[in-house]
Amino acid sequence: MKKIDFEKLTGLTDAEVAVRMEEDGPNELPTQGKRKSLEILFEVLREPMFLLLLACGSIYLISGEVQEAVMLLGFVFVVIGITFYQERKTERALEALRDLSSPRAYVIRNGEKLRIAGREAVRDDVVLLAEGDRVPADIVLLKARNFSVDESLLTGESVPVRKSAVSEIPAEFGKPGGDDLPFTFSGTLVVSGQGIGIIVHTGVKTELGKIGKALQSVETENTPLQKQTAKLVRAFAVFGAVLCTLVVLIYWLTRGKLLEGFLAGLSLAMAMLPEEFPVVLTIFLALGAWRISKYKVLTRRVPAVETLGSATVLCVDKTGTLTMNKMTITDLVVDDEFFSVDSGKSFLPEKFHEVIEYSILASPADPFDPMEKAMKQLGERALHNTEHLHSEWKLQREYSLTRELLAMSRVWFSAKGENLVIAAKGAPEAIADLCHFDSVKTKWLEEKIEILGKQGKRIIGVARANYEKSRLPKNQHDFHFEFVGLLGLEDPVRENVKPAIAECYSAGIRTIMITGDYPGTAKSIARQIGLANPDDVITGPELEAMTDEQLAERIKKINVFARMVPEQKLHIVKSLKMNGEIVAMTGDGVNDAPALKASHIGVAMGARGTDVAREASSIVLLEDDFNSIVTAVRMGRRIYENLKKAMMYILAVHIPIAGLSLIPVIFKWPLILFPVHIVFLELIIDPACTLVFEAENDDKDIMKCKPRKIDDKLFDLLAVIRCLIQGMLALASTLTVYLVFMHDHSPETARALAFLTLVVCNLGMILSNRSLTRSIIGMMKEKNIALFWVLGGATVLMTAVLTIPFLQNMFRFGQLSTTDLSIALFSGLIAVILMETVKLFNPRPSRNPASPG
């Protein structure tokens, strides 16, 4: 224990401040920081597709094929630019969310009081705290007067805690939560009173900083779709590399032309590698993030949009997420009568006027405490035309709340000049003590408290007294108080939470509430929002005594967790993941940040949320609208379903491209496709075509189905068979056209007609894959602006490469007649008609309706 000499409380000198700053560093929290431009660029360039195309472009330059090289490299840089822009746009949006102004600290240094930036506060600084101040560091209070602090940032409890002072600095610093302790913590808010303290911990050594360090130890996982896509691309890459090598060797050994053999092998490698997958995944999810942003939802990590659609469990922090984080008076008790307060109405029976009147008189005129604010707001609404508001009265004295008596009184001089009026409020037991209740009255009070307590209400007692004009007594017990009544307060549930929870249940998403509040309050909130099994609760101490296996088993049925600390929230998320759940975690406080980062999808509340919570999250709700989570889930499911259609299309279209690259080598025909043709197909038409699938509306029953399992494959057997059939039909049609025209036309003309047929089949696949069950004609009724842009753009591009001499030479095409064009178009249409016929034999995709919970 370090003894404090209050007579010499002059604070640190400048030299001492410099030494401590050198030893401990600035008073700042650890953050992930903003990604630099080079880091973003490096992440983009690591994709195999970009590496392959850069290599191909470089080889073309070396071999003298400048036009092909320019086309390849030009498109590479366009896609890199788009991806880079999207990443930087997200970073800038997050920067705009942050409150860049550092909290200020009022300190004593060199014997003088001065304001400094919070980051400049150091260990042993003497800090002055008052109502409305943000605590700049972890501090021990040396003096305190009616001092209370909102610690919901760290504990999740919306009700402020009382603080007391000590004359010596304790050897050990305490933990957040609990009344009448001398410790105040960095980031918390002073809601009443004044205090003087000494800083004990700054920066990463504070409770806030420890949570930040915990964030750094939690690794962010790739989404299941990212893992599947990467695995699929690797498999195709290995297979394509082997075939590429064989083609080069066969072409060289059979024809003796190494350069042409290399080009043939390169064409096959590009055809075999579905390099569009990572590009399509990036652009598709980025567009999804853009669409979700219209609903005031910012996506920090784009792939999380898709994962959110597969979430099976939503872990929700109560304070500020399910509730308003704003205390409201809901019940009044006078004598034996209860009155439920309607927040939307001003009517209040006369009998209940005095309990509000005296609760306001017992509070500061301009309160900062949320419960005192609630009293004032109700009084202004319900008593504004009555004689129960006394703005003209003068305050004579205040009796502060103490550890021995949890009540406070204020003495007023009325305008009439009669006796002094004393108003008291506090814990019901303390008010009963002031009123000298006997056993009968005490039992009566306990019954009323029990009724409100079962509803999870915070309860305040109110009393009044009169006193003749003379010297005021030293303590509150010397007044003759008369009991007035009780106030029941609660942090109200957000209006749209209950229907949002219900929709989550209909979508097969289980909702779990994790809170630092008491079990009774947690149960009450759980009932109000419609959680399943609201009376089954696990508390923090109970969880502490469980093994990982026991928690993993109990957590299968428990939806309410009360009196939790940050470490336990993280433990809950990890246990759910052990059970194979895909976990989404919502929250706004610093205490939520480790769990936000550890979950598959962290969803932070942007308006009330802390910077640390936002940085740890994948998704930020800009307006703290809980219903936005449901919108994000719906969008995530839509994105996955449409993305699967796009991926099936890409896989199907690769079959004819690969076949047209390999077959001419085997049969010693002139090459049909060169790299420039494949680049045209894959990197211009294909990514553009995926916009059609991205723009498709979701199915009406998309939120009435169970989430897909985490190990679900992007391509199941039925999808693979469908892709094979479509691809083989396109390949057969294109080869037929090529063989027919190769006998009596030049290789350039046959190549041009085959390429046109392939493009027609390509567009036909797009139209056919818009729906796995409905026909092309039936889907035409569904509005999709992107479809017409793609069809029109593809038509214009094909017309250009078939008619403009410069482009004809680049693509090695010959002249075409109207008859030739008609035959190629007709052949492509036949293939598309056959693709549509296959739908008649496909079973409809199964829908698994979710339980309503």
Side-chain angles (χ1 to χ4, degrees):
M1 303 281 284
K2 180 180 177 182
K3 190 71 175 179
I4 301 299
D5 186 354
F6 288 99
E7 299 298 326
K8 299 180 180 179
L9 205 62
T10 59
L12 301 175
T13 64
D14 291 339
E16 290 172 329
V17 170
V19 171
R20 285 162 174 76
M21 183 66 75
E22 181 68 25
E23 292 176 349
D24 301 332
N27 180 35
E28 295 178 322
L29 296 181
T31 64
Q32 292 177 311
K34 184 178 68 175
R35 288 187 299 167
K36 296 180 180 179
S37 297
L38 288 177
E39 293 175 341
I40 297 175
L41 184 60
F42 177 72
E43 290 180 7
V44 173
L45 292 176
R46 283 191 308 175
E47 295 292 345
M49 184 274 293
F50 291 119
L51 296 177
L52 178 62
L53 291 177
L54 287 172
C56 291
S58 301
I59 292 170
Y60 264 114
L61 283 176
I62 294 173
S63 63
E65 301 288 346
V66 179
Q67 293 178 342
E68 286 83 351
V70 169
M71 174 176 279
L72 280 170
L73 295 176
F75 196 82
V76 167
F77 290 117
V78 168
V79 176
I80 289 176
I82 293 172
T83 308
F84 182 80
Y85 171 78
Q86 175 65 28
E87 293 285 351
R88 287 294 300 131
K89 184 178 179 181
T90 301
E91 291 291 333
R92 286 194 297 270
L94 284 165
E95 289 174 38
L97 274 178
R98 296 175 59 89
D99 180 10
L100 298 179
S101 59
S102 173
R104 309 288 286 175
Y106 194 30
V107 300
I108 299 177
R109 288 182 180 174
N110 302 307
E112 297 181 358
K113 300 177 183 178
L114 68 155
R115 289 276 183 186
I116 62 173
R119 70 184 305 275
E120 297 175 5
V122 298
R123 178 171 36 89
D124 295 331
D125 253 332
V126 178
V127 181
L128 307 177
L129 296 169
E131 184 176 292
D133 287 345
R134 185 72 67 177
V135 179
D138 285 2
I139 294 172
V140 171
L141 289 173
L142 306 178
K143 290 185 177 180
R145 181 173 179 271
N146 193 29
F147 199 78
S148 61
V149 179
D150 179 358
E151 294 184 347
S152 62
L153 187 74
L154 295 170
T155 65
E157 296 185 33
S158 55
V159 177
V161 293
R162 299 183 308 275
K163 297 294 179 180
S164 61
V166 292
S167 58
E168 299 178 337
I169 298 179
E172 295 184 3
F173 201 79
K175 295 290 185 182
D179 291 318
D180 300 316
L181 297 175
F183 311 110
T184 58
F185 301 89
S186 176
T188 58
L189 184 67
V190 180
V191 296
S192 66
Q194 299 83 37
I196 301 176
I198 286 185
I199 293 179
V200 177
H201 298 136
T202 61
V204 296
K205 295 181 181 179
T206 64
E207 285 297 309
L208 211 59
K210 291 175 183 177
I211 293 175
K213 291 182 68 176
L215 287 179
Q216 295 176 331
S217 65
V218 180
E219 296 294 330
T220 303
E221 299 179 3
N222 284 335
T223 69
L225 188 56
Q226 284 178 310
K227 295 175 182 178
Q228 284 189 44
T229 302
K231 185 177 180 181
L232 193 63
V233 170
R234 283 195 299 269
F236 273 91
V238 172
F239 186 60
V242 172
L243 282 181
C244 174
T245 304
L246 290 175
V247 167
V248 173
L249 290 176
I250 292 172
Y251 205 97
W252 181 37
L253 294 175
T254 59
R255 306 190 190 187
K257 297 179 180 180
L258 181 59
L259 181 59
E260 289 188 13
F262 183 78
L263 289 175
L266 188 61
S267 298
L268 180 60
M270 294 177 65
M272 289 298 300
L273 179 66
E275 62 267 30
E276 305 97 338
F277 280 179
V279 180
V280 168
L281 183 60
T282 299
I283 296 177
F284 213 95
L285 295 180
L287 286 170
W290 170 73
R291 290 184 184 277
I292 292 178
S293 69
K294 294 181 178 180
Y295 298 93
K296 304 298 182 181
V297 179
L298 174 68
T299 306
R300 178 171 170 78
R301 281 180 279 277
V302 173
V305 174
E306 168 269 323
T307 310
L308 186 58
S310 62
T312 59
V313 175
L314 180 60
C315 294
V316 185
D317 182 67
K318 176 184 74 69
T319 304
T321 305
L322 294 174
T323 64
M324 300 289 292
N325 198 19
K326 176 183 177 182
M327 297 302 292
T328 302
I329 296 177
T330 59
D331 296 89
L332 302 175
V333 181
V334 176
D335 296 332
D336 285 318
E337 291 189 34
F338 284 77
F339 181 77
S340 296
V341 179
D342 190 331
S343 60
K345 297 181 179 179
S346 60
F347 172 74
L348 190 66
E350 178 66 32
K351 184 172 185 176
F352 297 92
H353 285 192
E354 281 194 346
V355 69
I356 298 299
E357 174 187 5
Y358 283 94
S359 69
I360 294 173
L361 288 172
S363 305
D366 188 17
F368 205 81
D369 181 277
M371 290 191 289
E372 293 174 339
K373 280 185 176 181
M375 298 168 192
K376 183 179 180 180
Q377 289 169 359
L378 179 57
E380 290 175 345
R381 191 174 77 242
L383 306 179
H384 66 283
N385 288 326
T386 70
E387 72 280 4
H388 296 285
L389 294 181
H390 310 286
S391 58
E392 73 281 5
W393 287 14
K394 295 181 180 180
L395 180 66
Q396 299 297 300
R397 180 173 175 178
E398 179 178 281
Y399 292 86
S400 300
L401 180 146
T402 64
R403 183 182 305 180
E404 293 76 21
L405 184 64
L406 302 181
M408 62 180 295
S409 299
R410 293 167 72 88
V411 182
W412 294 90
F413 180 77
S414 69
K416 298 178 180 179
E418 299 173 352
N419 295 341
L420 296 174
V421 177
I422 300 94
K425 68 175 174 61
E429 297 83 359
I431 296 298
D433 184 21
L434 288 177
C435 296
H436 305 290
F437 271 18
D438 56 22
S439 58
V440 176
K441 290 185 177 180
T442 299
K443 184 177 180 181
W444 171 88
L445 181 64
E446 290 174 349
E447 291 174 353
K448 303 299 181 289
I449 292 173
E450 183 179 4
I451 293 172
L452 294 176
K454 286 183 178 180
Q455 301 173 22
K457 305 294 174 64
R458 301 282 180 176
I459 307 169
I460 298 293
V462 180
R464 67 185 174 194
N466 292 310
Y467 197 76
E468 295 181 357
K469 295 179 182 179
S470 61
R471 188 174 182 178
L472 291 171
K474 291 184 179 181
N475 59 66
Q476 301 177 68
H477 271 292
D478 293 333
F479 295 112
H480 297 287
F481 279 106
E482 176 187 353
F483 188 81
V484 178
L486 297 173
L487 306 175
L489 300 97
E490 70 177 5
D491 185 3
V493 172
R494 294 178 183 270
E495 291 183 0
N496 57 5
V497 166
K498 188 172 183 178
I501 295 272
E503 189 165 3
C504 285
Y505 277 130
S506 71
I509 302 172
R510 179 180 163 208
T511 305
I512 291 177
M513 181 174 69
I514 305 173
T515 178
D517 220 327
Y518 292 95
T521 303
K523 290 179 182 179
S524 175
I525 296 295
R527 295 189 199 100
Q528 292 180 54
I529 64 177
L531 281 188
N533 306 320
D535 294 323
D536 294 335
V537 180
I538 291 180
T539 64
E542 292 173 344
L543 186 145
E544 194 71 28
M546 293 181 187
T547 63
D548 289 343
E549 292 74 18
Q550 289 173 330
L551 178 59
E553 184 62 31
R554 289 286 306 279
I555 209 170
K556 294 178 180 178
K557 298 180 180 179
I558 302 297
N559 296 320
V560 182
F561 291 81
R563 302 302 290 167
M564 293 289 135
V565 297
E567 294 79 5
Q568 292 171 329
K569 292 185 178 185
L570 182 60
H571 192 32
I572 290 170
V573 171
K574 289 182 177 179
S575 296
L576 288 167
K577 292 171 73 174
M578 286 174 56
N579 287 342
E581 305 281 5
I582 299 181
V583 185
M585 166 73 185
T586 69
D588 60 355
V590 174
N591 60 319
D592 299 317
L596 284 171
K597 189 171 182 181
S599 61
H600 293 99
I601 316 105
V603 184
M605 306 310 236
R608 291 182 177 270
T610 60
D611 288 342
V612 177
R614 288 194 289 267
E615 289 192 10
S617 65
S618 306
I619 293 173
V620 179
L621 307 183
L622 299 182
E623 292 188 346
D624 290 5
D625 185 357
F626 186 81
N627 195 53
S628 298
I629 300 172
V630 181
T631 300
V633 170
R634 175 183 288 275
M635 293 292 292
R637 292 190 173 190
R638 165 188 164 175
I639 287 168
Y640 183 81
E641 287 202 357
N642 290 341
L643 181 60
K644 185 171 183 178
K645 296 175 186 176
M647 293 296 194
M648 288 175 61
Y649 156 72
I650 291 171
L651 184 60
V653 83
H654 266 78
I655 294 173
I657 295 174
L660 294 174
S661 300
L662 180 61
I663 291 174
V665 175
I666 297 175
F667 293 100
K668 296 184 179 182
W669 299 341
L671 294 180
I672 302 176
L673 298 180
F674 288 91
V676 66
H677 302 124
I678 298 173
V679 169
F680 179 90
L681 288 167
E682 295 182 346
L683 300 182
I684 297 178
I685 297 179
D686 294 354
C689 290
T690 59
L691 300 180
V692 175
F693 300 110
E694 192 279 333
E696 289 295 333
N697 294 322
D698 54 58
D699 293 336
K700 294 180 180 180
D701 60 348
I702 199 170
M703 290 298 284
K704 296 180 181 179
C705 306
K706 293 180 180 179
R708 72 179 189 280
K709 295 181 180 178
I710 195 170
D711 56 352
D712 275 1
K713 302 299 182 183
L714 187 62
F715 295 104
D716 54 21
L717 181 59
L718 183 62
V720 171
I721 293 174
R722 182 186 180 90
C723 293
L724 286 173
I725 293 174
Q726 287 187 340
M728 293 305 295
L729 285 172
L731 176 60
S733 179
T734 305
L735 277 178
T736 300
V737 170
Y738 182 74
L739 291 175
V740 169
F741 283 91
M742 187 174 63
H743 292 293
D744 53 1
H745 289 73
S746 67
E748 289 76 15
T749 299
R751 181 182 297 117
L753 290 170
F755 190 73
L756 174 59
T757 305
L758 181 59
V759 170
V760 173
C761 292
N762 185 347
L763 298 178
M765 288 182 194
I766 298 171
L767 294 171
S768 181
N769 285 354
R770 288 184 64 199
S771 172
L772 302 182
T773 55
R774 298 172 63 183
S775 67
I776 292 177
I777 297 175
M779 286 300 294
M780 284 299 179
K781 299 177 182 178
E782 300 292 334
K783 187 177 180 180
N784 190 325
I785 297 176
L787 175 66
F788 298 102
W789 280 104
V790 168
L791 294 178
T795 302
V796 171
L797 284 174
M798 275 307 303
T799 302
V801 298
L802 291 175
T803 58
I804 299 175
F806 170 74
L807 293 177
Q808 283 181 329
N809 292 333
M810 181 183 292
F811 280 78
R812 305 184 190 188
F813 286 166
Q815 295 294 327
L816 302 178
S817 67
T818 305
T819 303
D820 296 338
L821 288 172
S822 301
I823 294 174
L825 291 171
F826 181 76
S827 300
L829 290 175
I830 291 295
V832 174
I833 292 171
L834 291 175
M835 293 177 194
E836 283 292 281
T837 304
V838 172
K839 285 185 182 180
L840 299 176
F841 304 97
N842 279 351
R844 295 182 66 87
S846 60
R847 289 282 184 179
N848 298 318
S851 169

